[in-house]
Amino acid sequence: SWCFHPVYRLRTYHRERIPLTGPVVVVANHSAAVDGPLLYGLFGRRAVFLIKHEMFRGPLGPVLRRLGQLPVQGGKPDRTSLLAALNVLQRGGLVGVFPEGRRGAGDVADAQQGAAWLATRSRATVVPVAIRGTRRTARRRWRPWVDVLVGEPFELTTGTGRAALAVATEKVRTRLGGLVRELDSIR
């Protein structure tokens, strides 16, 4: 996160809530391309993010691959990426998912369901993270405040079938939505 200080003024709340060991699925809201790189440096442990496959084209692709990030196809369930993320979790790793998909536009249901599926299949702890201030506004263009609020970790019940996945997905959505509203009230 130190590399963002020339661009943003960063305030982080409850970073200590992120478990330093064991499988963790971080679910975060997404409003700008910088959200993933910013969060990548905040966890205090190696993180693997599910990132839209278009980001792997061009000069950024080799860097993302070297960092172990996973490309995901938008608009449809991406079994290959989900299984690779599940493998990371089964080895005790941390996987980051933006349930809103492409910066808040579309793919929401698939990404939310993917995060819930990963957490229930791996029995990972889920940690919601809200981030605000990365989208440039007319109010403050030079070093705007960026706030990151880490929510209380929670577990999802491990049921099988579509109904259990729907319940788990709704819990992820509700927790993250509540955390975003809490951060908005702090700001």
Side-chain angles (χ1 to χ4, degrees), residues 50-54 57 71-82 101-102 105-114:
L50 293 171
I51 300 171
K52 65 181 181 174
H53 76 281
E54 293 91 349
R57 295 185 191 137
V72 64
Q73 295 284 337
K76 61 182 178 182
D78 188 339
R79 186 169 176 79
T80 303
S81 293
L82 285 176
R102 301 168 183 230
D107 304 336
V108 177
D110 286 344
Q112 286 178 341
Q113 200 168 49

Side-chain angles (χ1 to χ4, degrees), residues 5-182:
H5 286 282
V7 183
Y8 299 110
R9 293 182 290 169
L10 184 62
R11 294 181 288 214
T12 306
Y13 307 93
H14 301 296
R15 185 173 160 190
E16 75 281 356
R17 291 178 175 167
I18 298 167
L20 296 178
T21 60
V24 175
V25 173
V26 169
V27 292
N29 66 307
H30 196 19
S31 58
V34 73
D35 293 344
L38 183 77
L39 292 179
Y40 180 83
L42 286 178
F43 297 138
R45 61 186 281 191
R46 186 169 185 276
V48 172
F49 278 86
L50 293 171
I51 300 171
K52 65 181 181 174
H53 76 281
E54 293 91 349
M55 297 298 292
F56 286 80
R57 295 185 191 137
L60 192 56
V63 174
L64 292 172
R65 283 183 185 83
R66 183 171 285 262
L67 292 173
Q69 305 310 294
L70 299 172
V72 64
Q73 295 284 337
K76 61 182 178 182
D78 188 339
R79 186 169 176 79
T80 303
S81 293
L82 285 176
L83 291 175
L86 182 60
N87 186 32
V88 169
L89 291 166
Q90 288 171 337
R91 289 181 285 131
L94 183 148
V95 172
V97 179
F98 293 104
E100 294 175 315
R102 301 168 183 230
R103 284 179 272 172
D107 304 336
V108 177
D110 286 344
Q112 286 178 341
Q113 200 168 49
W117 183 84
L118 286 169
T120 55
R121 290 295 295 259
S122 65
R123 294 197 163 111
T125 299
V126 179
V127 179
V129 176
I131 183 168
R132 287 290 202 218
T134 53
R135 181 177 286 174
R136 296 286 185 173
T137 63
R139 261 196 284 155
R140 181 169 179 94
R141 293 189 182 273
W142 175 248
R143 292 197 71 226
W145 283 106
V146 171
D147 296 294
V148 178
L149 174 60
V150 178
E152 290 285 346
F154 64 96
E155 308 292 325
L156 292 173
T157 56
T158 54
T160 57
R162 292 180 192 267
L165 184 57
V167 169
T169 300
E170 181 60 22
K171 187 172 182 179
V172 169
R173 189 193 68 74
T174 301
R175 290 284 186 103
L176 182 56
L179 192 67
V180 170
R181 286 188 297 280
E182 182 182 339

